[in-house]
Amino acid sequence: MELSLAHPAIKAFMCGSLSGTCSTLLFQPLDLVKTRLQILQTTLQPGSARVGMVTVFLTVVQTEKLTGLWKGVSPSFVRTIPGVGIYFSTYYSLKQRYVPEHGPGAMEAVLLGAGARTVAGFCMLPVTVIKTRYESGRYNYMSVAGALRTVCQTEGPRALFSGLPATLLRDAPFSGLYVMFYSQAKRALPQEMITSTYTSLANFSCGILAGALASLFTQPADVVKTHIQVSPHLYKRTTQAVQYIYKEHGFQGFFRGTVPRSLRRTMISAMAWTVYEQLMARMGLKS
């Protein structure tokens, strides 16, 4: 089937890509700080003094200058621009095909979000691996293309899909829970608020609530994913990373980096959905 730029799915892709670009640029520092906090677990001894988000933030600024907070923004863009576009176009297509006109129920929303994120997450995983390594500070890749080539040559193409189970266990539930909380929160609002000049504010507020709840539920999978992608040679299976984190750092180790990740995922998701819905409305499409 031939697709033109006027096709609704293409419009959804374009709206999603633009919304993801804006939010990624703004909140990349939080993602970097989150990654640095999580990989500190591999160097700190049990019982060591706890390192917080502010300490990591200041250390990066002191050692890598202010621009160091945006390290990894190139692979983030390479991942986000097509990745968010794939997510929203898949979400839109699934919603138009399988969801009734009155909108998704709670379970339908979970399946919609999880399905769209699974497709986008699998397609963009190689770039996600490179992005995580950029942010870790342990790799000195010169470019995204060069990093992809280096990994293929030295570790094999399989390394580009390291952490796939943990990534999908993080992203699919996050997106499913996010869409459920977001759609149910919007449904609970008075109709006049949704259709008034406060529509963007209402959407953003619902996005903040949905993002905070979804982030909390999926934080452990994010920690496991980071460990595997930064040090794939140490973990042959996802369960090995889980066992290591629990043995060395206890249950709280699975929530390392919760604050910066929650802030970033909450804000980036809320902004992305708000911009996406506004752009789709301007194009005359129901998001």
Side-chain angles (χ1 to χ4, degrees), residues 91-172:
Y91 171 83
Y92 179 84
S93 299
L94 290 174
K95 185 177 179 183
Q96 294 301 306
R97 185 176 180 86
Y98 297 109
V99 176
E101 188 66 26
H102 58 77
M107 185 52 63
E108 290 170 327
V110 170
L111 294 175
L112 270 177
R117 180 57 63 192
T118 297
V119 172
F122 179 81
C123 291
M124 303 310 300
L125 186 63
V127 183
T128 301
V129 172
I130 299 302
K131 168 186 166 295
T132 303
R133 292 189 177 192
Y134 259 97
E135 294 170 351
S136 72
R138 296 185 179 183
Y139 297 84
N140 295 312
Y141 299 130
M142 300 303 294
S143 67
V144 176
L148 290 169
R149 185 167 55 252
T150 298
V151 172
C152 285
Q153 291 174 348
T154 59
E155 304 175 48
R158 186 175 180 179
L160 293 174
F161 288 88
S162 60
L164 176 61
T167 300
L168 295 182
L169 284 173
R170 177 199 66 170
D171 287 351

Side-chain angles (χ1 to χ4, degrees), residues 183-252:
S183 60
Q184 297 306 304
K186 283 185 64 176
R187 186 171 293 182
L189 292 176
Q191 188 61 33
E192 56 270 19
M193 183 176 292
I194 297 296
T195 56
S196 70
T197 55
Y198 298 103
T199 300
S200 294
L201 179 60
N203 290 341
F204 193 78
S205 299
C206 292
I208 292 290
L209 175 62
L213 293 173
S215 293
L216 185 63
F217 279 109
T218 56
Q219 179 63 23
D222 186 68
V223 174
V224 174
K225 185 248 358 164
T226 298
H227 274 260
I228 294 173
Q229 291 181 345
V230 172
S231 305
H233 57 285
L234 296 179
Y235 311 109
K236 299 300 182 184
R237 296 186 301 275
T238 301
T239 53
Q240 290 180 323
V242 173
Q243 291 168 355
Y244 170 83
I245 295 169
Y246 183 76
K247 179 181 177 181
E248 297 295 330
H249 304 280
F251 184 71
Q252 65 268 27

Side-chain angles (χ1 to χ4, degrees), residues 3-20 81-82 84-93 96 272 275-287:
L3 294 178
S4 69
L5 291 177
H7 193 280
I10 299 298
K11 290 182 178 180
F13 180 92
M14 295 168 62
C15 292
S17 295
L18 181 58
S19 67
I81 294 175
V84 179
I86 291 171
Y87 170 77
F88 276 118
S89 60
T90 303
Y91 171 83
Y92 179 84
S93 299
Q96 294 301 306
V275 173
Y276 166 75
E277 295 210 7
Q278 286 297 104
L279 290 174
M280 291 291 280
R282 287 177 180 272
M283 292 184 178
L285 296 173
K286 185 177 179 181
S287 58

